[in-house]
Amino acid sequence: MTIRRILTVESDLATLKQVSAPVAAVDDDLRRLMDDMLETMYDAPGIGLAAIQVGVPQRVIVMDLAKGEDAPTPRYFVNPEILWASEETAPYEEGCLSVPEIYDEVERPARVRLRYLGYDGAQVEEEAEGIFAVCIQHEMDHLDGVLFIDHLSRLKRDRAIAKVKKAARAEAA
Ligand code: GNR
Ligand code: NI
């Protein structure tokens, strides 16, 4: 497994805005990508990662919502679809590995019903709520080139990007 570079908004915005293409087949090449994504996510560390964040425009997500001492519970989502979303929404303070050090509240449907292919290519349907619902919607946005800051006001979004750019300049200096 290989840790890949995570793309960020100050240098890779055009790539992050791309719409990812459906995966044709869940094969060993795709599983290699998912393994690398998981290792990259754990290293960051983060709780979810979309393939476009490592520069691969395919509809693939990895996630692990296990806390601290708990055993790891990696999850894989290929070609995920939202079949249903609740009318009820919930706010959550979101962050993104592609928008480092920026956190702000986003309001999304509180529960969603999902269909996707797993690591073995089998189709799964399940309902998500809580942090799982937040994270899968955040990741599925990435597949459509949407970042959590796109859900904020233009002022907040522009400030967020300016802040990330400034931090990147300070890092380089
Ligand atoms: O690690 C992450 N934490 C997080 C916290 C609140 C809402 C969403 C997330 S996802 C993020 C990793 C990431 O950027 N995935 O795309
Ligand atoms: Ni993100």
Side-chain angles (χ1 to χ4, degrees), residues 15-67:
T15 304
L16 290 166
K17 297 307 283 181
Q18 280 184 51
V19 176
S20 294
V23 169
V26 181
D27 56 15
D28 287 344
D29 280 345
L30 190 80
R31 278 185 280 271
R32 199 149 19 237
L33 169 66
M34 293 194 284
D35 292 346
D36 286 359
M37 285 171 60
L38 198 74
E39 192 180 16
T40 303
M41 184 194 80
Y42 285 141
D43 177 69
I47 59 172
L49 195 72
I52 195 64
Q53 293 180 277
V54 294
V56 178
Q58 294 206 68
R59 302 187 81 82
V60 181
I61 290 163
V62 297
M63 191 183 296
D64 191 331
L65 302 175
K67 305 203 205 3

Side-chain angles (χ1 to χ4, degrees), residues 1-144:
M1 289 202 277
T2 310
I3 294 169
R4 304 202 191 188
R5 183 176 74 88
I6 296 178
L7 308 192
T8 50
V9 286
E10 88 280 1
S11 48
D12 313 294
L13 188 57
T15 304
L16 290 166
K17 297 307 283 181
Q18 280 184 51
V19 176
S20 294
V23 169
V26 181
D27 56 15
D28 287 344
D29 280 345
L30 190 80
R31 278 185 280 271
R32 199 149 19 237
L33 169 66
M34 293 194 284
D35 292 346
D36 286 359
M37 285 171 60
L38 198 74
E39 192 180 16
T40 303
M41 184 194 80
Y42 285 141
D43 177 69
I47 59 172
L49 195 72
I52 195 64
Q53 293 180 277
V54 294
V56 178
Q58 294 206 68
R59 302 187 81 82
V60 181
I61 290 163
V62 297
M63 191 183 296
D64 191 331
L65 302 175
K67 305 203 205 3
E69 307 285 283
D70 294 358
T73 52
R75 303 176 191 229
Y76 309 86
F77 305 85
V78 177
N79 297 340
E81 298 169 75
I82 289 182
L83 303 174
W84 169 85
S86 63
E87 294 283 338
E88 188 199 337
T89 62
Y92 197 88
E93 184 92 353
E94 298 196 15
C96 181
L97 294 170
S98 296
V99 194
E101 314 285 310
I102 306 291
Y103 302 90
D104 213 330
E105 196 168 269
V106 177
E107 187 98 24
R108 301 181 186 272
R111 287 178 304 284
V112 291
R113 186 154 188 85
L114 302 169
R115 179 193 289 156
Y116 58 90
L117 306 178
Y119 194 82
D120 56 1
Q123 185 175 288
V124 181
E125 275 192 36
E126 68 178 315
E127 204 162 305
E129 62 177 4
I131 182 65
F132 182 21
V134 171
C135 194
I136 194 67
Q137 291 178 83
H138 173 116
E139 302 311 336
M140 286 180 68
D141 267 356
H142 276 300
L143 305 184
D144 291 324

Side-chain angles (χ1 to χ4, degrees), residues 9-10 98-104 148-150 152-167:
V9 286
E10 88 280 1
S98 296
V99 194
E101 314 285 310
I102 306 291
Y103 302 90
D104 213 330
F148 86 94
I149 54 173
D150 294 325
L152 308 177
S153 67
R154 169 125 67 104
L155 180 66
K156 282 190 169 187
R157 179 166 56 254
D158 290 350
R159 279 185 181 160
I161 291 177
K163 200 170 160 187
V164 175
K165 281 187 176 160
K166 192 176 169 191

